[in-house]
Amino acid sequence: DGGITQSPKYLFRKEGQNVTLSCEQNLNHDAMYWYRQDPGQGLRLIYYSQIVNDFQKGDIAEGYSVSREKKESFPLTVTSAQKNPTAFYLCASSIVPVGQGNEQYFGPGTRLTVT
Amino acid sequence: GDSVTQMEGPVTLSEEAFLTINCTYTATGYPSLFWYVQYPGEGLQLLLKATKADDKGSNKGFEATYRKETTSFHLEKGSVQVSDSAVYFCALLSGGYNKLIFGAGTRLAVHP
């Protein structure tokens, strides 16, 4: 079945450590996205990529980094510079070129807890 | 900039009640509009969408009509079930990079 895989589902880290969240898709989508979700809030865009080896900052990119070396993969690193890293992280993908109604497909999410 | 405003939750209903979740938006041009649903501990699933004014999106008994004159995209269902309990997000597609702008989400709780 085609879809988006995020692993692990739950992740625990100590403050000051970098951590990388995995996102893999087999939908053959060119575009991929990372969102952050905090309790009682909507999703906020961290980074997005429309093509391999290219990515753009979203609204809250500070303290995060990404890479896009393969079409299928878009890992997100939460660095120690991110002041409030505890959150639910969602990866998404969509087809390109962008057109009306090109919906994004979401993975199941990774819940990161930093103590 | 573009934005989406949803009614605050939680919305608590009895089974078979009528549901309305209000959503209004601010955007330049004519964005596509979406409703996504999130079940506990899961990612988001697309519920329905509309790409131009007066379009009606529908799925699983849910409906929403793209109203350009009132910049709204209210979600409705005639008879809710316990299994509809979830968080519902209204979103619009903004700009040239397929960027989704989300509302804050509305939690729906349906009781038997």
Side-chain angles (χ1 to χ4, degrees), chain B:
Chain B
D2 296 353
S3 65
V4 174
T5 303
Q6 287 181 238
M7 65 186 287
E8 287 191 25
V11 173
T12 304
L13 296 172
S14 297
E15 206 165 23
E16 298 184 2
F18 184 85
L19 168 71
T20 300
I21 299 178
N22 290 338
C23 171
T24 56
Y25 68 90
T26 302
T28 54
Y30 304 99
S32 295
L33 301 172
F34 304 84
W35 276 101
Y36 281 86
V37 59
Q38 184 178 36
Y39 298 100
E42 297 184 9
L44 274 66
Q45 300 174 27
L46 179 66
L47 183 59
L48 54 84
K49 69 180 184 182
T51 59
K52 60 183 186 297
D54 299 325
D55 266 4
K56 177 186 281 189
S58 61
N59 185 27
K60 299 181 182 178
F62 291 90
E63 293 184 340
T65 301
Y66 189 163
R67 301 284 188 204
K68 177 172 168 291
E69 62 276 13
T70 55
T71 61
S72 65
F73 192 55
H74 304 322
L75 182 68
E76 296 182 335
K77 187 176 186 183
S79 176
V80 294
Q81 305 300 312
V82 173
S83 57
D84 293 327
S85 298
V87 180
Y88 292 82
F89 291 94
C90 184
L92 67 83
L93 198 63
S94 174
Y97 293 99
N98 222 21
K99 177 179 175 179
L100 277 174
I101 306 292
F102 286 89
T106 302
R107 182 174 300 278
L108 170 67
V110 181
H111 299 288

Side-chain angles (χ1 to χ4, degrees), chain A residues 9 33 35 37 40-43 45 48 50 56 59 88 90 94-95 98-109 111, chain B residues 30-32 34 36 38 41-46 49-52 87 89 93 95-105:
Chain A
K9 191 170 178 63
Y33 311 81
Y35 292 91
Q37 185 179 21
Q41 297 188 34
L43 281 68
L45 183 65
Y48 61 98
Q50 287 207 314
Q56 306 293 329
D59 300 317
F88 190 48
L90 287 157
S94 69
I95 62 172
V98 171
Q100 286 287 329
N102 282 355
E103 64 262 31
Q104 294 182 14
Y105 295 82
F106 284 81
R111 187 167 298 281
Chain B
Y30 304 99
S32 295
F34 304 84
Y36 281 86
Q38 184 178 36
E42 297 184 9
L44 274 66
Q45 300 174 27
L46 179 66
K49 69 180 184 182
T51 59
K52 60 183 186 297
V87 180
F89 291 94
L93 198 63
Y97 293 99
N98 222 21
K99 177 179 175 179
L100 277 174
I101 306 292
F102 286 89

